[in-house]
Amino acid sequence: MSPSGERGTSAFSRFVQQSLDDAQRSAIRVFPRGVEFRGEATSKNFLLPQAKRYCAFCLAEDGGRLDWRFRLIWGFRHVQRCDRHGIWLDITGSSTAINLRRALHDKPMAAPVKVKDATPAY
């Protein structure tokens, strides 16, 4: 990694208040033909770098719109339910937004839909 890249990554880790190792473990690297997560190459269909799904309960717990955080687990294609609340993940409708504030913009948050069976152990 170049010196400027190291400075950028360490600045990011300070901003998110995580160690550099923790920030790198939770980062998705996006390339023209795929993504990399924790050193493993995968397709963009398996791990979506865009904010396409969300849990309304998780966002409500985050607080106001400026405090919303995208959970990495929501980006995995096979994850359809919130692992904490057991509800179906709602779809933002955006195909390119990289954060929830842009993805939802001025749309109202969808009403959570409960699921009757147990949430899978992701």
Side-chain angles (χ1 to χ4, degrees):
M1 183 179 285
S2 70
S4 63
E6 289 174 9
R7 281 195 303 272
T9 304
S10 61
F12 175 74
S13 66
R14 283 193 303 274
F15 178 76
V16 297
Q17 299 176 347
Q18 290 185 334
S19 72
L20 179 57
D21 288 340
D22 286 344
Q24 288 177 332
R25 275 194 297 275
S26 62
I28 301 171
R29 296 182 68 197
V30 180
F31 301 104
R33 295 185 176 226
V35 297
E36 182 182 276
F37 177 62
R38 296 184 178 168
E40 296 288 329
T42 186
S43 74
K44 289 180 184 176
N45 290 332
F46 181 74
L47 179 57
L48 304 169
Q50 299 91 4
K52 291 187 177 187
R53 294 183 298 213
Y54 67 96
C55 169
F57 287 157
C58 286
L59 296 186
E61 289 172 359
D62 288 347
R65 195 174 280 262
L66 295 177
D67 298 319
W68 288 352
R69 294 179 299 113
F70 179 77
R71 280 32 170 214
L72 180 64
I73 194 167
W74 300 342
F76 288 92
R77 179 179 69 198
H78 294 91
V79 175
Q80 301 294 317
R81 296 187 243 172
C82 176
D83 59 322
R84 292 190 61 222
H85 299 103
I87 64 170
W88 292 111
L89 294 177
D90 293 307
I91 298 172
T92 64
S94 174
S95 61
T96 60
I98 57 171
N99 73 50
L100 288 169
R101 290 183 297 279
R102 285 192 178 150
L104 294 173
H105 189 54
D106 57 357
K107 298 175 191 166
M109 206 176 306
V113 177
K114 286 282 187 187
V115 180
K116 293 181 181 155
D117 53 333
T119 302
Y122 297 119

